[in-house]
Amino acid sequence: MKIGILGSGDVAKSLAAGFIKHGHQVMLGTRDAAKLKDFVDQHKGAQTGSFADAATFGEAVVLAVKGSVALEALKAAGTQNLTGKPVIDATNPIADAPPTNGVLKFFTDLNHSLMEQLQSAFPDAHFVKAFNSVGNARMVNPHYQAGKPTMFICGNDDTAKAVVAGICDQFGWETADMGKAEAARAIEPLCMLWCILGFTKNEWTHAFKLLHVA
Ligand SMILES: NC(=O)c1ccc[n+]([C@@H]2O[C@H](COP(=O)([O-])OP(=O)(O)OC[C@H]3O[C@@H](n4cnc5c(N)ncnc54)[C@H](OP(=O)(O)O)[C@@H]3O)[C@@H](O)[C@H]2O)c1
């Protein structure tokens, strides 16, 4: 697939490297392509452009920007360039405030997720929450003795979720589909839970797994 990635940070680069490893074509969108020069030099096939270039390029789009500027980045990407496409939303609504005893602060509340805000601002794009509650170093083909970790996803469009489940499968995850966009209210705070071990114990390598009775 052709994947447009909105972002130049660690998540954008980790996922871009994963897509390239699995044979996809990638364009990363940024306001400043100079930030990605080393990455492009080290990853054959990686291209850069503006947010709009990357959204236009992608058959699927990855949103990997700071949560508080997600709407702004999507506006720069262009409504028409997102229409009908899966938008893999890896963002978290982390507030610009320090954690308390390792617990991050969000600028959303439990009954209003960031992804729902994005979905209602861009109704013709097909948002799928994914990759928000694992560290970027373990997003692509992580190895755990307990087996595959679980990627919790949600979104309103089943076709878009099937695309994302296929990507998760390639990237070595089992997918747990939690339903429609409202489920992002539960998936986004998994980031808070995940980060507590990081901030309090300096452990950043874990991932979540959902266990079922056979
Ligand atoms: N870091 C992780 O391991 C991790 C794991 C899971 C989820 N996440 C989530 O994934 C997202 C990306 O995280 P990250 O650590 O890779 O990067 P980040 O530092 O949170 O965000 C960097 C990106 O935000 C964009 N940005 C900043 N201000 C902007 C503005 N005013 N307008 C448009 N874009 C702006 C930057 O665009 P330019 O390129 O134009 O500067 C850059 O691409 C976040 O929402 C984070 O919560 C992070």
Side-chain angles (χ1 to χ4, degrees), residues 7-11 30-31 35 51 64-67 69 72 90-92 94 131-132 134-136 139:
S8 62
D10 290 338
V11 173
T30 173
R31 297 165 302 167
K35 284 185 188 174
F51 286 125
V65 298
K66 198 174 171 215
V69 299
E72 214 174 310
T91 64
N92 286 305
I94 298 172
F131 293 104
N132 71 300
V134 62
N136 69 84
M139 286 181 173

Side-chain angles (χ1 to χ4, degrees), residues 23 32 68 81 83 106 133 165 178:
D32 178 10
S68 57
N81 301 327
T83 294
F106 273 17
S133 46
M178 296 288 111

Side-chain angles (χ1 to χ4, degrees), residues 6 36 53-54 78-79 100 132 148 158 194:
L6 308 181
L36 289 165
D53 292 334
T79 305
T100 305
N132 71 300
K148 286 186 181 184
D158 288 341
W194 188 89

Side-chain angles (χ1 to χ4, degrees), residues 5-169:
I5 300 182
L6 308 181
S8 62
D10 290 338
V11 173
K13 289 188 281 194
S14 294
L15 291 176
F19 283 113
I20 292 167
K21 169 182 159 183
H22 288 289
H24 301 281
Q25 295 176 60
V26 166
M27 183 182 286
L28 295 107
T30 173
R31 297 165 302 167
D32 178 10
K35 284 185 188 174
L36 289 165
K37 186 183 177 309
D38 288 350
F39 182 85
V40 170
D41 289 346
Q42 288 157 19
H43 294 83
K44 195 165 175 282
Q47 305 175 60
T48 58
S50 65
F51 286 125
D53 292 334
T56 303
F57 176 86
E59 297 164 273
V61 175
V62 176
L63 179 63
V65 298
K66 198 174 171 215
S68 57
V69 299
L71 271 172
E72 214 174 310
L74 290 167
K75 278 182 200 150
T79 305
Q80 70 284 2
N81 301 327
L82 302 168
T83 294
K85 298 180 182 178
V87 179
I88 303 170
D89 174 19
T91 64
N92 286 305
I94 298 172
D96 287 325
T100 305
N101 291 327
V103 181
L104 283 168
K105 294 186 178 67
F106 273 17
F107 58 78
T108 49
D109 66 46
L110 276 176
N111 296 315
H112 304 92
S113 66
L114 176 58
M115 195 183 82
E116 289 170 273
Q117 287 178 28
L118 304 178
Q119 183 63 79
S120 73
F122 297 88
D124 296 326
H126 302 312
F127 286 86
V128 181
K129 198 92 213 169
F131 293 104
N132 71 300
S133 46
V134 62
N136 69 84
R138 297 284 183 293
M139 286 181 173
V140 181
N141 302 111
H143 293 289
Y144 291 101
Q145 279 192 336
K148 286 186 181 184
T150 305
M151 185 67 72
F152 294 93
I153 72 166
C154 68
N156 291 340
D157 187 87
D158 288 341
T159 306
K161 284 194 287 191
V163 170
V164 176
I167 291 164
C168 290
D169 190 49

